Amino acid sequence: MRRRLRLRGEASLTLLLGAALGLLLYAQRDGAAPTTNAPRAQGRAAPGPTPGLRVFQAPDAGAAPPAYEEDTPEPPTPTGPFDFGRYLRAKDQRRFPLLINQPHKCRGNGAPPGGPDLLIAVKSVAADFERRQAVRQTWGAEGRVQGALVRRVFLLGVPRGAGTDGADAEGAGTRTQWSALLRAESRAYADILLWAFDDTFFNLTLKEIHFLAWASAYCPDVRFVFKGDADVFVHVGNLLEFLAPRDPEQDLLAGDVIVQARPIRVRASKYYIPEAVYGLPAYPAYAGGGGFVLSRATLRRLAGACAQVELFPIDDVFLGMCLQRLRLTPEPHPAFRTFGIPRPSAAPHLRTFDPCFYRELVVVHGLSAADIWLMWHLLHRPHGPACARPWPVAAGPFQWGP
């Protein structure tokens, strides 16, 4: 009996230490992988206005997407308030060295002369190796998918506290450690792109413009590019079916489109945008940064346009500004769920983490690494998920069945 009690005590202590270590690592890694559209953690008070659930409607031919009636959806909470003074001082600094490159990602290594059919670009942070592994082993695997050649890269900046200025010995040691780890990961998987800017939430715009420049230089012949976050699940087969009839030489940027989103003017909000920074009452139409797809033609044009648009601290809104400069309208698609799958109020106990939902979608945002791995294997079992009825992939807006 005493031995059993001692074992129970040791197990409890192990769990307690594990939880403490997890909290410590979470605090040191500057939060989760940065993204502008991940759902808020449950139970956390929202610093600004809370958007209601959106309703997707099937867009009529030639019709504009439905307007988003609330304020801009709130990103995950960064570690501190946005320093507008620093932003205004550094906003013209937009060229940073590429520390780790993959120059042959779209050429050689079995790639056809015309380049890959789909390049997957995933925003990540150095500490998030677990999510990168989940993506590599599931929806982001390189190779042939339904006959299409797929390639993958992860987009990273320098971890906070490991900057390139070498101000002190501790910072230099941290920088050396992260550099060694990322270079080892790059040698193992050949999919790391690392730039010399600090990897913070408000530097995601830098990640946007540097990736566009990189892809234009090193993947000029890619047919399509999917760009998203590390906490999304992507049904690549459905994405390729959506792209199959599309011409890569025609403009396309498709995803979860948000129009008439209003800047947050509440000073208490961490996402407060003063009128001195953006004076218009609404943002241009933009696709949620959790995941969207663009064509080769749009990639080339965006790279040039974004080089001329003044930097803005919200990356997907910034991309909407670049599209506006090109007079391009993003295309809404109901299978891109960058706010996850909300439970309907009439069925609050309905299980939304179900492969029968996911098999009809393209992108679902806000999953853990374990959820991504599990959903992938549920969908790719030998006989697939046992669902009540088949629904065509592109059959209009997602609807809850009876």
Side-chain angles (χ1 to χ4, degrees), residues 7-371:
L7 289 176
R8 288 182 178 176
E10 291 175 354
S12 300
L13 180 61
T14 301
L15 289 174
L16 181 61
L17 290 175
L21 179 60
L23 290 173
L24 177 62
L25 290 174
Y26 180 83
Q28 291 180 343
R29 62 185 285 187
D30 190 26
T35 167
T36 58
N37 287 315
R40 295 190 309 276
Q42 292 184 355
R44 180 179 297 171
T50 302
L53 295 179
R54 300 188 308 155
V55 178
F56 287 90
Q57 300 292 337
D60 297 329
Y68 186 72
E69 297 296 339
E70 301 293 338
D71 292 323
T72 302
E74 294 179 19
T77 304
T79 55
F82 184 40
D83 186 344
F84 280 103
R86 181 178 180 183
Y87 163 75
L88 292 173
R89 290 191 298 270
K91 67 182 178 62
D92 295 326
Q93 186 180 3
R94 54 195 301 156
R95 293 186 179 181
F96 292 82
L98 184 58
L99 304 178
I100 299 180
N101 192 10
Q102 307 299 335
H104 306 295
K105 175 56 64 174
C106 294
R107 300 169 182 170
N109 298 327
D117 298 289
L118 179 66
L119 173 65
I120 293 173
V122 181
K123 293 175 287 186
S124 185
V125 293
D128 222 350
F129 176 77
E130 179 184 359
R131 286 193 187 275
R132 291 195 292 277
Q133 281 296 83
V135 171
R136 289 177 180 124
Q137 296 171 6
T138 57
W139 63 264
E142 294 189 316
R144 294 278 175 181
V145 179
Q146 299 176 184
L149 181 64
V150 178
R151 290 285 190 251
R152 174 196 66 240
V153 289
F154 291 97
L155 316 177
L156 290 85
V158 176
R160 173 171 286 185
T164 57
D165 54 4
D168 53 58
E170 183 179 355
T174 303
R175 183 173 67 254
T176 301
Q177 178 185 14
W178 278 116
S179 176
L181 289 171
L182 290 174
R183 291 186 184 280
E185 186 177 349
S186 176
R187 288 192 297 270
Y189 300 103
D191 59 5
I192 298 294
L193 296 177
L194 174 67
W195 285 277
F197 53 80
D198 288 341
D199 207 343
T200 62
F201 174 82
F202 294 109
N203 274 349
L204 285 175
T205 301
L206 291 176
K207 195 171 287 188
E208 191 79 56
I209 63 174
H210 283 77
F211 168 70
L212 289 171
W214 180 89
S216 298
Y218 292 100
C219 292
D221 298 320
V222 65
R223 290 174 57 81
F224 297 97
V225 175
F226 173 83
K227 184 170 178 290
D229 294 332
D231 62 342
V232 301
F233 178 87
V234 182
H235 196 308
V236 177
N238 289 350
L239 178 61
L240 291 171
E241 286 187 27
F242 167 67
L243 295 174
R246 302 294 184 129
D247 181 358
E249 289 300 329
Q250 298 295 318
D251 278 317
L252 170 69
L253 193 148
D256 186 0
V257 175
I258 303 168
V259 299
Q260 294 299 312
R262 298 191 297 268
I264 293 178
R265 304 299 193 191
V266 181
R267 288 184 177 273
S269 172
K270 293 179 183 293
Y271 311 104
Y272 162 67
I273 299 293
E275 293 190 25
V277 174
Y278 188 83
L280 299 178
Y283 292 131
Y286 63 92
F292 57 86
V293 64
L294 64 157
S295 66
R296 175 170 62 208
T298 302
L299 170 70
R300 294 171 179 168
R301 298 186 65 196
L302 270 180
C306 289
Q308 303 173 37
V309 174
E310 184 173 330
L311 296 182
F312 190 76
I314 304 176
D315 63 322
D316 46 9
V317 173
F318 169 77
L319 200 63
M321 296 174 178
C322 300
L323 291 173
Q324 186 180 51
R325 185 180 184 90
L326 294 173
R327 299 181 184 276
L328 291 180
T329 302
E331 178 180 324
H333 194 296
F336 285 71
R337 299 303 182 94
T338 58
F339 294 89
I341 305 176
R343 287 186 177 90
S345 58
H349 302 296
L350 183 65
R351 291 179 59 249
T352 58
F353 188 76
D354 189 305
C356 295
F357 293 142
Y358 281 68
R359 72 170 186 168
E360 311 302 330
L361 301 175
V362 174
V363 175
V364 181
H365 197 196
L367 277 72
S368 68
D371 286 343

